[in-house]
Amino acid sequence: MKKTECVAMLLAGGQGSRLGVLTERVAKPAVPYGGKYRIIDFPLSNCANSGITTVGVLTQYQPLELNDYIGSGKNWDLDHQEGGVHILPPFQRSQGGDWYKGTANAIYQNLAFIERYNPEYVLILSGDHIYKMDYAQMLQQHKDTGAACTIAVLEVPMEEASRFGIMNVNPDGSIYEFEEKPKNPKSNLASMGIYVFSWDKLRKYLIEDEADPNSSNDFGKNVIPLMLGQNEKMQVFRFADYWKDVGTIDSLWEANLDLLNPKVDIDLQDPAWRIYSKTPSAPPQYISPEANVQNSMITEGCEVYGAVDFSILSDNVVVEKGANVLYSIIMPGAKICAGATVQYAIVAENAVIGAGAVVGQRPEDCKDLDNWGVSVVGAGLKVGAGATVGPKQMIREDVKEGVAL
Amino acid sequence: MRANEVMGIVFPNAHDDLMAQMTVLRSMGAVPFGARYRLIDFSLSNLVNAGITKVGVITRANYQSLMDHLGSGKPWDLDRKKGGIFFLPPYGYSETRVYTGHVDALQGAMSYIRKAKEQYVVLCDADVISNIDLSEMLAQHERSGADVTVAYKKGKLPKNHRDIMSFTFSQDGRAKEILLSNTIAGDCNYSLDIVVIRRELLISLVAEASAKGKTSLWRDVLQPGVDTLKIYGYKVDTFAAVMDGIDSYVAANTALIECPKARQELFCKDRPVYTKTRDDMPTKYGLEAKVTNSLVADGCIIEGEVKNCVLFRGVTVKKGAVLENCIIMQDCTVGEGSALKYVVFDKNVTTGNHLTLCGAENFPVYIDKGQNI
């Protein structure tokens, strides 16, 4: 078997609880984004475009939709004779089994998977972020510097640094200290949760960390400090392009609308770095004579008879006559009925917003801005005709006709 | 009959000569249609939606873009160990040559047809845009005890077709007369060139006709055989457009914009039309975009006005441009302030800024692939 140089391990097991109803039955990496993508398309496409052909996707929470979506990996060019994409759920061994206890434990439980390929390097990724990155460049720097671990970092505004895991570095980029959410940050280099390890070092420290009963088995909290403490050579890899965490309703909504902002540099049409996805077979979008579409993104299968402004429609969305969609994200298969208004909201897959209903509120119309926020209607739910859903509401069950929430 | 007893054979070059400039560099089957499809997608989708998993594609000329489009057949679920798609270009072995009609085309592919184990064959040209439930047609073929079943539609005969069959049926549905390209006024039952026939019968009919130097399946086999063969028709009531020239091409694209019923019937949810995807991003509508009554594919960037148009993938319409009643194929760019009316652009055409190009309703202007205006 041809030797695999680098195996990527993609942590896709988290619940993403801050996304509320959007991740009630679906893992966060499978949440729709940008009209025709899902969050996991970014790390998967980055792997394929970077030449990494062996990818383990570690699942745990509500994996069905994710598993179905990934399939054989063919859509990301990851269906290979050797390697390719593999779904890795927790499994039983003869001595019993365990759920994944933390990010490091998840990899620890899959050491045997990595062993099969006997790579020189392991790339640890998460399925939570929207970004385009050439991992081959990071891998090259890791080789050039002879590091045991290379951590990708992003410069954040100093005022925000205390929200992140911060790397304190020497002039040559080597890390001398790691501080989790420091009150007085010494640098503004935030960890992106993307690591390249030399395989032997990773194996060593995962085993060591697992043996520590006091460890929470987390890369950032436990394994990185452990390696630093033992004077391993750790290096930062600086990343300066667009990178967005989509772990909260607000950040998911913003990340979507960033695609409509000409000032934000995230080009999904770049032929040199395609973001692949699995899309259902759907007819081309139809824009009717009465439609009014401005500053929005729409994809296949949509039928627009109403007004869409500064919004993103996923596949097979119907916006009926007289309906208004503004500053909103509408996920696949949802239907916005005649005369309804959806503003500053996220409407999840296959939800139905009844005729004349109003979901969300414009900030300029809100009297109490502290309680203003993006409204969310969960997957498959129905908001009855004439109902009203106010700002910052998270709808987890059907809303009856005429009800005001 | 079970679907795995049936195989399909598609003829993507069948009426190349009718499509003039559009088929100079590509076969009829590879002609782009409907914002994101190629004509062969409709024949292939009809076959696979009926559960048919073995399809031979007999080509004649200009098949490079078709081969690129079909690849291993994966988008139509025809990338298989058992069956799947099989490309049959000419010159398969020393005696074959570029074919002129269905008979010699089938004769050239005879070793493929003989080796197959399927009992029935569905023959399709790639010149009919339709979404037909072939499993129903197969069921009717079996029920009726027919030797040959031909799908047909009732309406005005496509006038530019040189050898389209029209049928007169007797009470029990059996064809009693077949005419070819009959210039009859009014409605008739015209063939959609989709034929169901037992494989063994097809082999013997083709062998016989071929031995006599015949080339046309319609003129030389079915028409004279209407008394000896039991030929039945399968009526198609849903949208089915026969391509016999640029007029019918424009009319079919237009029908998809103007007629919701046509869209619903062609893009039937139970039997989707499959095609090769391109991983374009969703279409972006700009700040001053004004799009009405149009069919738009992914990957477009629209900043101007688009009315009654069909835009294929990756089309850019710059600010101030106005497009009316146009069909713009993949990756074209319409410059700022340009005005286009009744225009058909082939792939990769670009216009400069502030240009006007105007055809008429019955005389659309067709611009070749890659032109820079």
Side-chain angles (χ1 to χ4, degrees):
Chain A
M1 179 171 94
K2 196 179 80 184
K3 176 123 173 84
T4 306
E5 189 183 46
C6 180
V7 168
M9 298 293 269
L10 214 170
L11 296 160
Q15 182 179 349
S17 52
R18 288 172 301 167
L19 287 177
V21 69
L22 292 179
T23 48
E24 207 167 79
R25 270 179 288 256
V26 143
K28 181 157 72 164
V31 169
Y33 166 83
K36 65 182 281 187
Y37 308 96
R38 304 218 179 203
I39 296 168
I40 202 168
D41 289 327
F42 289 84
L44 283 181
S45 303
N46 287 339
C47 281
N49 290 328
S50 302
I52 294 171
T53 55
T54 306
V55 181
V57 178
L58 287 83
T59 59
Q60 176 155 269
Y61 176 79
Q62 292 280 23
L64 292 182
E65 187 139 350
L66 190 63
N67 294 351
D68 190 45
Y69 183 69
I70 293 176
S72 70
K74 181 100 192 174
N75 289 296
W76 299 268
D77 248 1
L78 288 171
D79 180 5
H80 297 287
Q81 293 275 39
E82 307 282 0
V85 72
H86 295 265
I87 306 272
L88 301 169
F91 59 93
Q92 289 285 330
R93 298 162 181 71
S94 51
Q95 319 95 293
D98 229 336
W99 295 109
Y100 294 144
K101 296 184 282 178
T103 53
N105 172 258
I107 307 293
Y108 170 80
Q109 289 204 39
N110 285 288
L111 285 177
F113 169 77
I114 304 174
E115 202 95 40
R116 291 165 72 93
Y117 298 97
N118 197 23
E120 283 168 65
Y121 309 99
V122 179
L123 171 68
I124 310 286
L125 300 170
S126 70
D128 299 347
H129 305 105
I130 304 296
Y131 66 109
K132 297 194 298 181
M133 187 196 271
D134 187 353
Y135 303 130
Q137 282 187 23
M138 185 176 173
L139 185 59
Q140 189 60 49
Q141 191 204 273
H142 180 88
K143 290 188 219 172
D144 291 341
T145 55
C149 171
T150 301
I151 305 177
V153 292
L154 188 73
E155 276 185 44
V156 295
M158 210 38 148
E159 320 83 73
E160 310 233 348
S162 45
R163 295 200 292 134
F164 297 92
I166 297 292
M167 301 290 155
N168 300 325
V169 301
N170 296 316
D172 67 351
S174 56
I175 303 171
Y176 67 83
E177 194 181 17
F178 164 65
E179 292 186 299
E180 179 74 39
K181 298 193 176 53
K183 285 205 174 56
N184 299 307
K186 293 180 202 153
S187 102
N188 66 345
L189 296 178
S191 167
M192 293 165 70
I194 300 171
Y195 314 100
V196 172
F197 286 94
S198 296
W199 169 222
D200 50 350
K201 299 285 183 186
L202 177 65
R203 196 205 285 115
K204 171 176 192 252
Y205 286 100
L206 283 180
I207 294 171
E208 225 172 280
D209 178 72
E210 183 67 19
D212 176 0
N214 296 318
S215 170
S216 56
N217 306 122
D218 180 88
F219 271 110
K221 293 198 192 86
N222 307 108
V223 175
I224 304 297
L226 180 62
M227 288 176 79
L228 265 176
Q230 304 232 6
N231 289 317
E232 287 288 356
K233 190 166 189 328
M234 320 267 280
Q235 198 79 13
V236 291
F237 174 76
R238 287 169 190 268
F239 180 75
D241 293 329
Y242 180 85
W243 182 77
K244 189 96 180 188
D245 180 285
V246 284
T248 63
I249 294 291
D250 286 344
S251 61
L252 178 68
W253 181 81
E254 277 164 25
N256 271 281
L257 294 187
D258 273 350
L259 293 170
L260 302 171
N261 185 344
K263 295 200 201 94
V264 175
D265 181 21
I266 171 96
D267 179 10
L268 299 181
Q269 190 77 327
D270 181 1
W273 205 268
R274 276 229 195 272
I275 302 298
Y276 303 102
S277 69
K278 174 182 168 179
T279 40
S281 275
Q285 54 198 270
Y286 174 68
I287 312 294
S288 87
E290 306 94 11
N292 187 349
V293 181
Q294 297 281 304
N295 212 27
S296 295
M297 270 170 49
I298 303 185
T299 189
E300 269 141 25
C302 287
E303 289 174 46
V304 182
Y305 303 91
V308 178
D309 192 356
F310 219 107
S311 295
I312 305 216
L313 303 189
S314 299
D315 58 271
N316 293 298
V317 163
V318 176
V319 176
E320 286 184 355
K321 205 160 151 184
N324 275 293
V325 177
L326 41 140
Y327 287 91
S328 294
I329 316 298
I330 315 292
M331 294 189 175
K335 185 165 162 187
I336 316 297
C337 296
T341 301
V342 176
Q343 51 201 3
Y344 294 87
I346 298 178
V347 176
E349 283 184 76
N350 300 314
V352 175
I353 308 300
V358 177
V359 174
Q361 190 183 50
R362 299 190 310 170
E364 42 272 37
D365 296 337
C366 184
K367 296 183 186 74
D368 181 9
L369 277 172
D370 283 335
N371 284 321
W372 181 85
V374 170
S375 310
V376 181
V377 177
L381 297 179
K382 189 166 173 12
V383 173
T388 314
V389 173
K392 216 171 180 173
Q393 290 289 317
M394 172 106 32
I395 303 300
R396 294 177 184 274
E397 31 179 60
D398 287 347
V399 177
K400 288 205 168 62
E401 290 193 13
V403 167
L405 287 176
Chain B
M1 68 180 82
R2 290 192 309 277
N4 60 6
E5 293 174 322
V6 189
M7 64 183 281
I9 296 183
V10 182
F11 302 87
N13 288 95
H15 299 107
D16 280 0
D17 49 320
L18 295 175
M19 298 304 281
Q21 293 145 295
M22 281 196 245
T23 48
V24 163
L25 292 169
R26 56 162 85 90
S27 62
M28 164 86 100
V31 169
F33 175 84
R36 61 189 293 263
Y37 305 99
R38 295 202 189 235
L39 292 185
I40 201 173
D41 292 330
F42 300 95
S43 313
L44 287 180
S45 300
N46 284 338
L47 292 168
V48 304
N49 282 329
I52 296 168
T53 55
K54 186 185 171 90
V55 179
V57 179
I58 301 183
T59 58
R60 175 172 61 192
N62 290 338
Y63 43 88
Q64 190 170 317
S65 60
L66 187 71
M67 283 183 81
D68 182 44
H69 179 69
L70 294 178
S72 67
K74 182 97 191 168
W76 304 270
D77 219 9
L78 289 172
D79 180 1
R80 291 168 180 261
K81 286 199 157 185
K82 186 169 175 220
I85 203 163
F86 198 93
F87 222 82
L88 294 153
Y91 311 117
Y93 51 98
S94 56
E95 293 99 76
T96 55
R97 56 193 161 83
V98 174
Y99 72 80
T100 48
H102 290 76
V103 169
D104 52 340
L106 289 163
Q107 186 61 25
M110 201 38 77
S111 64
Y112 170 72
I113 302 172
R114 279 193 197 279
K115 261 192 252 175
K117 304 268 190 305
E118 282 73 10
Q119 262 198 64
Y120 296 92
V121 181
V122 178
L123 305 171
C124 286
D125 282 351
D127 62 340
V128 180
I129 296 161
S130 65
N131 192 324
I132 298 176
D133 188 349
L134 290 182
S135 58
E136 253 188 52
M137 183 177 173
L138 291 165
Q140 189 202 280
H141 177 86
E142 196 171 31
R143 268 196 319 265
S144 64
D147 290 317
V148 180
T149 303
V150 184
Y152 73 92
K153 197 163 167 71
K154 186 163 178 170
K156 284 207 185 22
L157 194 78
K159 58 183 174 11
N160 294 323
H161 234 289
R162 239 150 279 147
D163 62 347
I164 190 165
M165 294 186 287
S166 54
F167 303 94
T168 320
F169 296 107
S170 42
Q171 280 283 55
D172 66 346
R174 182 178 169 178
K176 57 183 183 184
E177 193 188 24
I178 298 178
L179 296 169
L180 274 151
S181 290
N182 181 29
T183 48
I184 184 173
D187 289 352
C188 66
N189 299 315
Y190 61 89
S191 165
L192 295 176
D193 290 347
I194 301 173
V195 175
V196 177
I197 184 172
R198 249 179 46 252
R199 191 175 57 87
E200 298 288 346
L201 177 61
L202 179 67
I203 292 172
S204 66
L205 288 174
V206 168
E208 196 189 320
S210 192
K212 295 183 187 152
K214 305 291 184 189
T215 55
S216 168
L217 194 62
W218 324 133
R219 189 180 297 281
D220 302 321
V221 177
L222 293 187
Q223 185 183 41
V226 77
D227 294 318
T228 46
L229 293 168
K230 284 191 270 184
I231 302 175
Y232 280 72
Y234 175 76
K235 187 157 193 230
V236 173
D237 284 318
T238 52
F239 181 82
V242 176
M243 294 297 99
D244 70 340
I246 193 151
D247 291 341
S248 55
Y249 176 81
V250 171
N253 276 292
T254 308
L256 290 183
I257 315 170
E258 298 295 336
C259 182
K261 191 157 176 280
R263 273 200 309 280
Q264 277 156 31
E265 286 173 357
L266 191 62
F267 301 130
C268 165
K269 284 201 163 56
D270 292 333
R271 296 186 304 273
V273 182
Y274 300 102
T275 188
K276 177 179 173 186
T277 53
R278 211 171 79 154
D279 294 296
D280 286 284
M281 70 182 252
T283 283
K284 224 177 198 179
Y285 294 81
L287 217 41
E288 280 148 43
K290 197 159 172 245
V291 180
T292 50
N293 204 31
S294 294
L295 210 60
V296 181
D298 271 1
C300 293
I301 299 177
I302 306 176
E303 294 173 304
E305 208 178 307
V306 174
K307 190 169 159 187
N308 308 332
C309 293
V310 176
L311 300 187
F312 287 64
R313 296 175 196 154
V315 167
T316 304
V317 176
K318 294 221 155 110
K319 219 156 110 173
V322 179
L323 277 70
E324 257 186 80
N325 299 92
C326 295
I327 298 169
I328 312 289
M329 297 193 201
Q330 281 99 296
D331 300 321
C332 291
T333 302
V334 180
E336 279 187 32
S338 286
L340 304 176
K341 207 166 170 180
Y342 292 112
V343 156
V344 177
F345 274 5
D346 209 316
K347 291 163 80 167
N348 297 308
V349 170
T350 53
T351 76
N353 302 332
H354 304 292
L355 281 162
T356 307
L357 201 59
C358 188
E361 192 174 353
N362 64 342
F363 199 91
V365 175
Y366 169 84
I367 306 293
D368 271 316
K369 208 163 152 175
Q371 297 293 321
N372 193 342
I373 305 179

